Amino acid sequence: MRSRQVLDEHGPLAKAFYTSGELFAEEYYAQTLIARGGIGTPHLDGNTRLCTATAEWALVESFGQ
C-alpha cells in the first residue's frame, strides 16, 4: 500500500533498488525488468560494485600491485 502511495504522489523516480551480491544473473535481469519496465525507475545499484571495490583495495594493500 505504501509503495503505491509513494508512486502515486512522487512518481517512479522516488523508487530505487539496491541489490544483493547473492543474486543469480537471471534474478538481476528480472529485477531490472520490474524496476525499469514495470515501475519506470532508472535507479538501480548493486552492492557487488561496492564489495568488489573494497575487496580489490584490501588485496592491493595486502599484496601490492
Side-chain angles (χ1 to χ4, degrees), residues 22-44:
E22 301 297 317
L23 298 178
F24 292 112
E26 296 84 3
E27 293 167 321
Y28 281 118
Y29 180 72
Q31 188 175 40
T32 301
L33 288 178
I34 292 167
R36 291 195 175 143
I39 294 174
T41 183
H43 303 301
L44 288 108

Side-chain angles (χ1 to χ4, degrees), residues 48-60:
T48 50
R49 181 168 48 136
L50 296 174
C51 280
T52 304
T54 304
E56 175 190 358
W57 279 105
L59 289 169
V60 168

